[in-house]
Amino acid sequence: MNEPVILCIEDDADIRRFLRSTLTANGMQTLEAANGKEGLQLASSRSPDVILLDLGLPDMDGMDIIRQVRDWGATPIVVLSARDRERDKVAALEQGADDYLTKPFSAAELIARLRVALRHTGRRVSDAEFVFDRGGLFIDNAARRVTLDGAEVRLTPIEYKLLLTLARHADKVLPHSTLLAEVWGRHGQDTQTYLRIHTQHLREKLKDDPLNPRFIVTEPGIGYRLKG
Ligand code: CA
């Protein structure tokens, strides 16, 4: 038996029931916690493969749970959040959550996000030897080389750093602030504009249509995600 173990930290019993039945039907094992304290206990004692975390818990702030889990390891965390809580999602991603699902979500969405999170477990490659090869886009960081459908793409240092950052976290939403910090080493009002302009240039060089993206997806009000 090698079923992935998913820890669901959620105080709403109906949602827990939905999670349990969906995960079980898709060959995943479920651990359940109705509050943050139980959730942290299970996270440390049972080492789940992925944590599904509701941010609105009765006893603890979801952000504290993310911080504590990140103190001891890299278990992927997928946050469950209400539709109008954009700021919470950004804060959760900044604290180290890997992804989020907006309530209400379908069983298909849940499973798709979990599969992505599971693909990322235990796959931390060092920066120097990083290689990305998906959907016609190829990045070889050792050679600092990018090709699109086999043809070389010439990027400025900033564009390259932006693409590399997105690629190293493929399938994951990166908040504006994270991209600004990683690419420019700081963030403020002015740098938001740089990010938008450089993303636009990068898209042009990758022949990517923002309205129907092949590579770079805009997450409105939050950030960008490279399709993995
Ligand atoms: Ca809740």
Side-chain angles (χ1 to χ4, degrees):
M1 288 292 270
N2 197 14
E3 290 184 337
V5 177
I6 316 296
L7 169 60
C8 307
I9 310 178
E10 164 66 77
D11 60 319
D12 185 318
D14 289 335
I15 297 179
R16 278 208 311 278
R17 205 169 304 123
F18 167 74
L19 293 174
R20 189 194 317 134
S21 64
T22 307
L23 298 182
T24 308
N26 285 277
M28 300 179 191
Q29 258 187 62
T30 318
L31 293 173
E32 291 177 46
N35 59 54
K37 193 162 166 275
E38 280 175 31
L40 281 172
Q41 266 163 9
L42 285 172
S44 64
S45 63
R46 305 283 299 273
S47 317
D49 295 295
V50 177
I51 298 172
L52 281 174
L53 173 66
D54 172 35
L55 287 180
L57 292 167
D59 62 329
M60 281 179 76
D61 184 340
M63 302 301 165
D64 289 332
I65 297 181
I66 298 172
R67 261 193 294 276
Q68 292 196 38
V69 170
R70 278 292 160 269
D71 275 348
W72 73 66
T75 312
I77 301 171
V78 178
V79 158
L80 310 176
S81 167
R83 185 163 297 283
D84 52 350
R85 308 288 296 204
E86 245 62 39
R87 267 207 308 220
D88 287 357
K89 291 173 198 166
V90 173
L93 294 169
E94 285 173 349
Q95 285 301 330
D98 292 77
D99 205 348
Y100 62 83
L101 274 161
T102 303
K103 294 177 182 180
F105 47 84
S106 68
E109 255 180 289
L110 170 67
I111 295 304
R113 290 310 172 95
L114 283 175
R115 293 226 163 100
V116 169
L118 284 165
R119 251 203 279 147
H120 289 178
T121 50
R123 210 165 48 89
R124 311 266 153 173
V125 191
S126 85
D127 206 33
E129 59 202 87
F130 176 79
V131 169
F132 180 90
D133 186 9
R134 265 169 272 173
L137 179 62
F138 178 80
I139 306 167
D140 176 356
N141 193 37
R144 207 196 162 287
R145 187 160 178 266
V146 178
T147 62
L148 173 65
D149 300 323
E152 186 130 0
V153 182
R154 296 194 179 279
L155 300 177
T156 65
I158 288 286
E159 289 160 2
Y160 181 76
K161 214 165 167 191
L162 182 57
L163 179 63
L164 186 67
T165 306
L166 287 165
R168 284 184 57 78
H169 305 278
D171 271 329
K172 202 178 133 168
V173 182
L174 292 183
H176 297 129
S177 57
T178 303
L179 283 165
L180 290 167
E182 292 221 9
V183 179
W184 283 273
R186 66 199 169 96
H187 60 86
Q189 287 292 328
D190 55 334
T191 43
Q192 283 272 1
T193 316
Y194 298 163
L195 178 59
R196 201 179 57 242
I197 292 169
H198 287 285
T199 305
Q200 192 187 322
H201 291 163
L202 184 57
R203 277 174 159 152
E204 283 163 9
K205 290 187 180 177
L206 298 178
K207 301 180 175 65
D208 203 13
D209 175 6
L211 297 178
N212 183 23
R214 179 176 165 195
F215 302 114
I216 301 171
V217 180
T218 301
E219 302 286 345
I222 296 179
Y224 298 99
R225 173 169 62 86
L226 186 77
K227 288 187 178 179

